[in-house]
Amino acid sequence: MELRTAASPRDVKHYTTERLREEFLINDLFKEDDIKLVYSHIDRIITGSAVPVKGELVLTAGDELRAEYFLQRREMGVINIGGKGTITIDGTAYELDYKDGIYIGMGAKDIRFTSADAAVPAKFYINSAPAHTSYPTVKIKPEDCVTVELGSSEGANHRVIRKYILPGQVESCQLVMGMTQLMPGSVWNTMPCHTHDRRMEVYLYFDMPEDALVFHYMGEPTETRHLIMRNEEAVISPSWSIHSGCGTQAYTFIWGMVGENQDFDDMDACQIKDLM
């Protein structure tokens, strides 16, 4: 498991491009027959992936968690962005098609990942947060999610937001998770942008061809920076940072939030005229 420490905005504004990428970019996700996990000190979120091809992959706690098993003191959300696969949780199998998700509550001990077809393996994307109580495991279909349509073609930000894990739909201790899909011809997400001091956030960008990219904007509103993001790369966004992107074409991203509250609309708006 890779460890990342927290970062002060006073320091980040002096970072080089290389240092920004080292601290906030998560690449090399979705390696075949591997579970990759990145543990951030920012609200203790773990971001990762599992891509079973030749056989079964088993999730373990590792030395970093000092736990008997991965979800002894944690909860987890998983969304599959690959071929059909199965997550087996304490002996119960859950089949996940493309863009299906699952919430797994604290206390689940044995978690295993498999693919239905090695030629088109599942790509399980993982967000995990510390938890204080156990909520039921729930499989989530995209069509069953709370769905919101925002933006416009004229603003190049026409998008559909699907909320997978949030209060009133799928209960969790603190993890909130969902997916935003931009419509053809739209390239902007979350602009005008915002911060939310009560929560941090991680984005995973995908549904992008090899020759496409997203300029992901971060930093304090008056000290903005950017990262070049390519297909199936994730980025850590501290609570003090904006998190917005503009792509060379339409794309999809998964967002996961962890922190003080679970109010999706609890945001501190940043006016476009004030950005620097």
Side-chain angles (χ1 to χ4, degrees), residues 10-226:
R10 289 181 293 179
D11 296 329
V12 170
K13 67 181 181 181
H14 300 296
Y15 285 2
T16 63
T17 298
E18 181 180 5
R19 180 73 186 278
L20 280 174
R21 294 174 68 83
E22 288 176 355
E23 295 290 341
F24 301 108
L25 177 68
I26 302 175
N27 55 15
D28 294 327
L29 286 166
F30 306 107
K31 287 185 174 181
E32 293 188 354
D33 292 310
D34 188 31
I35 295 177
K36 174 165 181 170
L37 300 170
V38 175
Y39 182 114
S40 173
H41 284 193
I42 303 173
D43 285 311
R44 306 287 168 171
I45 192 170
I46 294 177
T47 303
S49 60
V51 185
V53 178
K54 296 178 182 177
E56 185 177 71
L57 294 176
V58 180
L59 184 65
T60 60
D63 293 337
E64 293 82 2
L65 296 186
R66 299 295 194 271
E68 295 178 22
Y69 51 93
F70 192 87
L71 294 184
Q72 184 177 12
R73 299 183 297 269
R74 287 185 159 267
E75 60 187 357
M76 187 165 74
V78 183
I79 297 177
N80 180 19
I81 65 167
K84 182 180 291 187
T86 299
I87 301 180
T88 302
I89 305 165
D90 292 335
T92 301
Y94 299 86
E95 287 190 356
L96 269 64
D97 287 323
Y98 180 59
K99 293 185 177 178
D100 282 354
I102 193 168
Y103 170 80
I104 308 172
M106 184 185 74
K109 293 183 177 180
D110 187 43
I111 301 172
R112 299 169 182 264
F113 304 92
T114 56
S115 292
D117 184 352
V120 189
K123 294 181 177 181
F124 297 108
Y125 176 65
I126 298 167
N127 282 174
S128 173
H132 58 270
T133 192
S134 181
Y135 286 102
T137 293
V138 180
K139 179 180 172 180
I140 309 159
K141 302 287 289 183
E143 56 268 28
D144 296 332
C145 293
V146 172
T147 302
V148 179
E149 190 168 347
L150 296 175
S152 66
S153 298
E154 292 79 7
N157 64 351
H158 184 200
R159 60 200 188 276
V160 175
I161 300 171
R162 292 182 172 86
K163 303 174 184 179
Y164 280 60
I165 301 170
L166 80 165
Q169 176 172 297
V170 174
E171 299 297 331
S172 66
C173 290
Q174 62 169 319
L175 179 64
V176 178
M177 199 170 180
M179 182 185 299
T180 299
Q181 180 178 1
L182 274 70
M183 298 294 99
S186 288
V187 294
W188 277 103
N189 75 68
T190 326
M191 182 58 73
C193 57
H194 60 261
T195 61
H196 30 65
D197 275 345
R198 278 68 56 194
R199 299 188 308 278
M200 63 82 66
E201 193 159 7
V202 175
Y203 277 7
L204 170 75
Y205 290 102
F206 70 107
D207 273 352
M208 298 160 55
E210 289 187 5
D211 60 349
L213 56 83
V214 171
F215 291 84
H216 177 85
Y217 297 98
M218 61 167 296
E220 293 180 294
T222 56
E223 287 282 354
T224 58
R225 301 291 186 270
H226 78 269

